[in-house]
């Protein structure tokens, strides 16, 4: 099965029922997505605290750490969302 049926995957996104929440992958996906959203909200504080622990911290390092933390938070949120939506029973 080398070809992915995108129409099927797209239709699965819109098919939701209460039975879907009995799947452990959906529950864990929602939890991971919430953790990612919390990381996105507090990413500036996290980046600032990380930068304070570095030697010779300046604005450039703060910006680089901030971008890294935001990318990681976005990736965690995306993985959680895909896990919650694309798992087919």
């Amino acid at each position: 099965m080398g070809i992915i049926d995108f129409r099927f995957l797209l239709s699965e996104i819109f098919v939701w029922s209460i039975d879907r929440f009995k799947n452990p992958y959906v529950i864990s996906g929602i939890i991971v997505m919430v953790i990612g959203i919390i990381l996105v909200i507090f990413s500036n504080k996290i980046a600032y605290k990380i930068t304070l622990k570095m030697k010779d911290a300046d604005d450039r390092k703060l910006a680089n750490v901030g971008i890294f933390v935001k990318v990681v938070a976005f990736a965690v949120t995306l993985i959680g969302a895909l896990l919650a939506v694309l798992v087919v029973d």
Side-chain angles (χ1 to χ4, degrees):
M1 186 171 195
I3 298 175
I4 298 173
D5 189 7
F6 288 107
R7 288 179 294 167
F8 177 71
L9 291 175
L10 187 62
S11 68
E12 283 295 317
I13 291 172
F14 297 107
V15 177
W16 277 93
S17 66
I18 199 71
D19 295 332
R20 193 136 183 171
F21 288 106
K22 294 178 183 174
N23 191 341
Y25 291 110
V26 174
I27 294 169
S28 63
I30 291 171
I31 291 171
V32 169
M33 187 173 59
V34 168
I35 290 170
I37 290 170
I38 291 170
L39 283 175
V40 168
I41 292 171
F42 293 110
S43 62
N44 288 337
K45 279 190 170 191
I46 294 169
Y48 184 70
K49 296 226 181 218
I50 291 172
T51 308
L52 283 178
K53 294 184 186 272
M54 297 172 119
K55 291 182 180 177
D56 300 327
D58 58 353
D59 290 338
R60 185 173 180 187
K61 285 186 182 179
L62 177 61
N64 291 337
V65 171
I67 289 172
F68 178 73
V69 170
K70 286 182 192 300
V71 167
V72 169
F74 178 72
V76 169
T77 305
L78 184 66
I79 290 169
L82 291 176
L83 186 65
V85 172
L86 295 181
V87 172
V88 180
D89 293 9

